[in-house]
């Protein structure tokens, strides 16, 4: 009995294209359109945000500016990514003999890639601007260094203002010891600002100095010292509150930026699928 001939697979037509499914011309075109629209809308949103803020009420202005920028980032990503994705899908070549599911995937991929290229270009441009600012700061380093001592003196002058307020009297004195005492008081205040507390011994010393060089009684001198220290604490609390508000604003801004980028990626993919479908229907 003869053995049967081995079964060999039948060679059929190979319908798979040897070319890549990525059409970079349409992707780059869509990315260029998206980046250009972002470049137009971003300064417009910044202008509207600054117009809605006021230097006379920085707390509420910071919240308003952050909320407005968050909304504008989503709108900007929606518009720019939608146009860029649609262009990437509409301008790509027509894929013949390709399943509709594969065409849909390629279109969404083209939209996503167009959004990705535009986003990378935008962030690269922002990085270049930031580097330019850094270079300008480096070039001005000598000026900053020369002004560092003046800045430190300015901080001392701020504390010196509180120190001088301790010795205000209706009978000013020009004795040299007054300047020495004022400088010593400034050092006490500076130490308290550094450590966060004025020791009771320093408080008593300051009250005694005030009482000795003004017409105030000891209780009145102690009240003036306490009032001055309370003003310093209030200024520190105000600065801390401003820093905390700025921190929260940055958290909200970066969260909104992340959400807007996700929205942009989704809209670009959907718009590219729509553009590709319309491309195949014509």
């Amino acid at each position: 009995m003869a053995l049967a001939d081995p079964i060999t697979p039948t060679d059929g037509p190979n319908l798979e294209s040897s070319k890549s499914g990525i059409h970079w011309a349409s992707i780059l075109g869509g990315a260029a359109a998206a980046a250009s629209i972002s470049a137009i809308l971003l300064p417009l949103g910044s202008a509207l945000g600054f117009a809605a803020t006021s230097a006379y009420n920085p707390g509420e202005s910071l919240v308003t500016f952050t909320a407005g920028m968050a909304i504008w980032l989503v709108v900007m990503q929606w518009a720019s990514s939608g146009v860029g994705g649609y262009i990437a899908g509409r301008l790509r070549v027509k894929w013949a003999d390709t399943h509709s599911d594969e065409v849909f995937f390629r279109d969404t991929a083209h939209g996503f890639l167009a959004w990705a290229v535009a986003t990378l270009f935008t962030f690269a441009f922002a990085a270049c601007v930031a580097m330019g600012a850094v270079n300008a700061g480096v070039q001005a380093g000598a000026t900053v260094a020369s002004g560092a001592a003046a800045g430190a003196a300015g901080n001392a002058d701020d504390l010196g203002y509180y120190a001088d307020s301790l010795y205000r009297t209706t009978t000013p004195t020009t004795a040299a010891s007054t300047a020495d005492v004022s400088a010593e008081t400034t050092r006490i205040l500076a130490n308290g600002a550094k450590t966060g507390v004025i020791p009771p011994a320093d408080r008593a010393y300051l009250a005694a100095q005030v009482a000795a060089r003004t017409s105030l009684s000891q209780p009145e001198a102690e009240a003036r010292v306490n009032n001055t220290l309370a003003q310093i604490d209030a200024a520190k609390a105000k600065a801390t509150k401003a820093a905390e508000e700025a921190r929260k604003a940055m958290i909200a801004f970066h969260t909104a930026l992340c959400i807007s980028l996700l929205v942009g990626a989704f809209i670009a993919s959907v718009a590219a699928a729509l553009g590709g479908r319309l491309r195949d229907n014509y």
Side-chain angles (χ1 to χ4, degrees):
M1 181 175 177
L3 296 176
D5 294 334
I7 299 175
T8 58
T10 304
D11 293 336
N14 185 11
L15 299 179
E16 183 69 21
S17 175
S18 61
K19 296 182 179 179
S20 173
I22 298 180
H23 190 242
W24 281 109
S26 62
I27 291 175
L28 294 178
S36 299
I37 294 175
S38 297
I40 295 173
L41 295 180
L42 182 59
L44 176 61
S46 298
L48 294 177
F50 285 118
T53 60
S54 173
Y56 296 100
N57 196 357
E60 294 183 3
S61 296
L62 182 61
V63 175
T64 302
F65 181 80
T66 304
M69 281 300 298
I71 297 173
W72 188 256
L73 284 174
V74 175
V75 173
M76 182 184 70
Q77 279 288 313
W78 192 292
S80 62
S81 299
V83 174
Y86 180 82
I87 291 176
R90 190 66 184 267
L91 296 183
R92 52 88 170 162
V93 296
K94 189 172 184 178
W95 294 300
D97 298 329
T98 305
H99 195 276
S100 59
D101 291 342
E102 178 64 20
V103 172
F104 176 78
F105 172 78
R106 291 185 182 185
D107 285 334
T108 55
H110 276 61
F112 179 80
L113 290 175
W115 166 85
V117 172
T119 302
L120 291 176
F121 176 81
T122 302
F123 276 95
F125 177 77
C128 291
V129 174
M131 288 299 297
V134 171
N135 291 335
V138 171
Q139 293 176 0
T143 304
V144 174
S146 62
N155 293 333
D157 290 341
D158 293 338
L159 296 175
Y161 170 80
Y162 295 109
D164 293 339
S165 67
L166 296 175
Y167 305 105
R168 292 173 183 171
T169 178
T170 56
T171 56
T173 178
T174 58
S177 59
T178 302
D180 295 336
V181 172
S182 180
E184 183 182 9
T185 303
T186 301
R187 290 191 291 271
I188 294 175
L189 297 178
N191 179 73
K194 180 180 178 180
T195 60
V197 62
I198 301 292
D202 289 343
R203 288 175 177 265
Y205 176 77
L206 291 176
Q209 292 291 340
V210 172
R213 300 176 191 285
T214 64
S215 58
L216 299 176
S217 63
Q218 184 67 24
E220 292 175 335
E222 292 177 356
R224 176 177 287 190
V225 170
N226 292 332
N227 181 60
T228 301
L229 296 180
Q231 294 180 33
I232 297 176
D233 292 338
K236 290 169 55 180
K238 185 177 180 180
T240 302
K241 181 180 178 181
E244 180 64 15
E245 291 178 351
R247 184 187 68 85
K248 292 180 179 179
M250 291 302 296
I251 292 175
F253 174 78
H254 285 89
T255 302
L257 178 61
C258 179
I259 294 175
S260 67
L261 290 175
L262 293 176
V263 170
F266 176 76
I267 294 300
S269 300
V270 173
L274 175 62
R277 176 173 295 183
L278 294 176
R279 164 68 178 84
D280 291 338
N281 291 337
Y282 294 99

